[in-house]
Amino acid sequence: MLTSDTPPSLYVSVAYGHSCVAHADGAVSCWGRNGEGQVSPDGPNAVLVPLKVSGVQGATAVATGDRHTCALHADGKVSCWGENTDGQLGDGTVQNREDIRSVKLPTKSAAIAAGVSFTCVAAVDGAVWCWGDGTSGQLGNGGDKGSSKPVQVDTISDAVGIFAGDYHACAIHATGGISCWGDNNEQQLGRSDAPAPKGAGPTALKPVSVPGASDVIGGHAGYSHTCVVTKTRKV
């Protein structure tokens, strides 16, 4: 559990039923719902106090999905654990995992985000990679199929940040602009003309730029809305 002796936290992520923090010493602690092992592979079904996740070291950031968790490590590698029915752990399977799984990526990662059943990273070379559920276009590769292995998001080569809502994701460009993809039922992608009707509502299967967004330094997304903050601290 977190006490006065616990190392300071660098990063916090909150999901539907569980929360996690990445500590300054590289450890990760999680608590909350744990039915699929999303809090800790060796923890009880319900974790009522923060529990250190065994097997995770050198973490600089953590991302919580609906029932899965992923950590970004100082060496640029990514590891995930918990529910995997849509391939959101990125290990090439759709089997739930109670052990920490490494994600095979072609290059080092610099930032990480997770939606309900998908995960995305911004790589050090500016590319964005996603894996997991893709039925709302949340993998950004032009299709609506899921993938249990990372697939590259189309048209993005200068990403410096990444964040995700339940069924959509957005990348921050080095220019300060922003592009988003995935579900757009409530115009959470920042534009009403995002293509194209599919199933229950509009989606963007590839990234679309957000008009008027500039000097963006950070962002956050919910179930069906998106917010960003700029260099001048405007929201």
Side-chain angles (χ1 to χ4, degrees):
M1 69 184 286
L2 302 182
T3 69
S4 59
D5 297 325
T6 302
S9 299
L10 288 175
Y11 202 97
V12 63
S13 184
V14 178
Y16 173 73
H18 73 294
S19 304
C20 296
V21 295
H23 300 291
D25 65 353
V28 169
S29 295
C30 299
W31 59 96
R33 180 176 177 174
N34 194 39
E36 290 74 31
Q38 63 266 47
V39 166
S40 178
D42 54 1
N45 283 340
V47 180
L48 304 182
V49 296
L51 179 68
K52 184 177 179 181
V53 181
S54 60
V56 176
Q57 298 176 340
T60 58
V62 63
T64 52
D66 191 32
R67 293 179 176 86
H68 76 289
T69 307
C70 296
L72 172 64
H73 302 271
D75 60 4
K77 295 181 180 180
V78 173
S79 59
C80 301
W81 57 96
E83 186 180 68
N84 196 34
T85 52
D86 290 295
Q88 58 264 52
L89 302 189
D91 67 346
T93 77
V94 290
Q95 298 175 354
N96 291 355
R97 298 295 184 179
E98 294 187 354
D99 57 333
I100 309 299
R101 308 295 292 185
S102 295
V103 181
K104 292 183 178 180
L105 287 156
T107 187
K108 295 180 179 180
S109 300
I112 190 168
V116 166
S117 297
F118 73 102
T119 311
C120 295
V121 295
V124 295
D125 62 2
V128 173
W129 297 81
C130 297
W131 57 93
D133 180 26
T135 53
S136 294
Q138 54 271 62
L139 301 191
N141 65 338
D144 59 358
K145 304 297 183 182
S147 175
S148 61
K149 296 181 179 180
V151 296
Q152 188 169 0
V153 175
D154 285 2
T155 72
I156 295 181
S157 60
D158 65 341
V160 294
I162 185 81
F163 57 96
D166 281 17
Y167 301 99
H168 72 289
C170 299
I172 302 171
H173 298 281
T175 59
I178 185 172
S179 295
C180 300
W181 59 95
D183 182 37
N184 196 40
N185 269 309
E186 306 293 340
Q187 282 84 60
Q188 56 264 52
L189 304 188
R191 52 191 293 172
S192 60
D193 62 339
K198 284 189 66 65
T203 64
L205 303 182
K206 296 182 180 182
V208 293
S209 61
V210 178
S214 61
D215 294 328
V216 175
I217 60 173
H220 189 78
Y223 174 73
S224 56
H225 71 290
T226 308
C227 295
V228 297
V229 62
T230 69
K231 290 180 179 178
T232 58
R233 303 302 176 185
K234 293 181 180 180
V235 176

